[in-house]
Amino acid sequence: MSQRERRSFVVCEACDVSKEVDDPNEAVAFYRRHRSITGHDVAWGWADFDGLESSSEDDLASVIAGLEDRFEDGVPLGIVSAAMADAGRTIGETLEAIRSLRMDGELYEPRDDHIRVT
């Protein structure tokens, strides 16, 4: 199977569950549901979306700033979490780091589940 035929998916290793997603924010929605039921975090198994660029950078604000030009209405949380997966971050870890930056005023949410750097 070539990379173009692969579908994006997230996994919970604790439950041995995977979920294919067509939209990056579907992964965030899955994480929230799964976390509320099991308490487990979720990681990307494979992600391939328009506008996603791999990054080995660990600085979340820099990663978001680097993606902003591709998303006029804010960077989808799913894209940010997929970009941070290359730095070894799970979806839960990325969302918690985003929450912290938002509380510090470094990020804002122009619409639900989309963020920009202030």
Side-chain angles (χ1 to χ4, degrees), residues 88-105:
R89 300 252 185 113
T90 64
I91 292 176
E93 291 169 343
T94 299
L95 294 181
E96 182 56 35
I98 287 170
R99 181 184 173 282
S100 179
L101 289 176
R102 284 184 61 208
M103 299 311 284
D104 291 342

Side-chain angles (χ1 to χ4, degrees), residues 3-118:
Q3 285 188 343
R4 297 190 81 165
E5 297 170 338
R6 291 181 74 181
R7 298 206 44 204
S8 299
F9 68 98
V10 293
V11 297
C12 173
E13 291 183 10
C15 296
D16 195 26
V17 170
S18 67
K19 165 80 172 150
E20 289 185 356
V21 294
D22 295 323
D23 178 276
N25 277 353
E26 283 181 37
V28 173
F30 176 77
Y31 160 77
R32 289 174 175 151
R33 285 189 310 271
H34 191 77
R35 173 105 179 156
S36 73
I37 295 168
T38 67
H40 299 153
D41 203 345
V42 174
W44 283 96
W46 172 259
D48 185 20
F49 299 105
D50 289 340
L52 175 62
E53 180 176 297
S54 292
S55 174
S56 60
E57 183 147 355
D58 197 32
D59 180 56
L60 181 58
S62 296
V63 170
I64 296 166
L67 293 167
E68 281 187 328
D69 291 343
R70 299 180 182 111
F71 301 94
E72 187 174 312
D73 296 329
V75 184
L77 291 178
I79 290 288
V80 176
S81 67
M84 294 305 293
D86 289 339
R89 300 252 185 113
T90 64
I91 292 176
E93 291 169 343
T94 299
L95 294 181
E96 182 56 35
I98 287 170
R99 181 184 173 282
S100 179
L101 289 176
R102 284 184 61 208
M103 299 311 284
D104 291 342
E106 294 184 46
L107 301 176
Y108 70 101
E109 192 171 12
R111 63 185 188 136
D112 288 347
D113 291 340
H114 292 71
I115 53 176
R116 295 188 72 82
V117 176
T118 56

